[in-house]
Amino acid sequence: MQTTVAVLALVASLFLLGTVALYLYYLITGEKVTPNPATFLIRSIVSIINVALYFQVADGSWLKTVVTVVSAAGLVGIFLYSCFKRKFSPVRILEVFCFIFAMGIVVIWWTMNDKVLANLLLQGVMLLAFWPQVNALYTNVGKELPLPWALATTAYVLMTLVVLGSPSGWAWPQLVHPIAVGILGNGALMVLAFRQNNWTLASFRIK
């Protein structure tokens, strides 16, 4: 069982690395994607905090936490490259509001002593961070291709299996991040990107 879980964790990490590499490829080779500034800024900040907090919630299990480490590194990398190359979609009032609101929640999180409640609050911030990009895609202010988000969603499905299959057992707070943030958040962007590309399966190819 331990070996199976370790393999799942490795494969999940590779899927996320593939997500980051593909997204950077799209950014470097043209205007195929337009990352949302608020979404990537909030997620970059909060994902770093999430690594430490999720490690505690996961009872010190690196197998359960490794995907969050890869995710944080990837988000920060994409954000920094997008800043340097000015690849972001336009900043609207929505982006400003979401960033201020999210940082306000982070301040509240900072004062909490209960790690379970703190984890739930932090996952709420990470889920909120998807909203500007979801809205930008829905209104066609931004553009995306579905394959990176499909890879990310798959990675978090595998992370969920890692948590459920862990020999040390699992607790429901450990599932909030991979399911609510990883699957629901990335899955929503995958569906909207698919919709934006007229529901064509060809949009899942590497372009």
Side-chain angles (χ1 to χ4, degrees):
M1 178 64 76
Q2 179 76 16
T3 302
T4 302
V5 171
V7 170
L8 285 173
L10 175 61
V11 174
S13 300
L14 291 175
F15 266 95
L16 265 189
L17 286 173
T19 301
V20 175
L22 183 59
Y23 204 86
L24 286 172
Y25 168 75
Y26 284 155
L27 286 172
I28 293 168
T29 57
E31 302 297 327
K32 301 180 181 76
V33 295
T34 51
N36 184 275
T39 292
F40 276 88
L41 177 56
I42 296 169
R43 291 190 68 197
S44 294
I45 294 171
V46 178
S47 65
I48 295 172
I49 301 171
N50 184 60
V51 170
L53 183 59
Y54 191 80
F55 186 68
Q56 295 177 26
V57 171
D59 300 321
S61 170
W62 277 109
L63 285 178
K64 295 177 182 178
T65 310
V66 64
V67 169
T68 66
V69 176
V70 176
S71 175
L75 286 166
V76 171
I78 291 171
F79 175 76
L80 292 177
Y81 180 83
S82 299
C83 279
F84 182 69
K85 293 294 186 178
R86 299 181 180 179
K87 294 284 187 176
F88 286 122
S89 61
V91 177
R92 302 165 296 167
I93 294 296
L94 175 64
E95 277 76 20
V96 176
F97 171 77
C98 283
F99 177 74
I100 293 173
F101 186 70
M103 291 304 100
I105 297 176
V106 169
V107 171
I108 296 172
W109 164 83
W110 188 262
T111 65
M112 300 184 71
N113 295 319
D114 188 317
K115 69 179 183 181
V116 173
L117 288 177
N119 172 60
L120 292 177
L121 193 59
L122 202 63
Q123 302 316 314
V125 176
M126 295 189 77
L127 198 56
L128 170 67
F130 280 98
W131 175 244
Q133 187 126 5
V134 164
N135 180 266
L137 273 180
Y138 186 76
T139 57
N140 290 316
V141 172
K143 54 185 176 181
E144 293 288 345
L145 290 169
L147 183 55
W149 304 108
L151 292 175
T153 302
T154 303
Y156 280 99
V157 170
L158 293 173
M159 180 183 174
T160 302
L161 295 177
V162 169
V163 173
L164 293 174
S166 174
S168 61
W170 58 276
W172 69 265
Q174 299 172 6
L175 293 171
V176 176
H177 176 69
I179 293 177
V181 178
I183 298 174
L184 181 59
N186 290 300
L189 291 178
M190 177 189 68
V191 171
L192 286 171
F194 191 29
R195 167 184 173 268
Q196 190 179 59
N197 288 273
N198 299 314
W199 307 103
T200 57
L201 291 176
S203 63
F204 281 91
R205 297 174 185 168
I206 298 176
K207 298 183 178 181

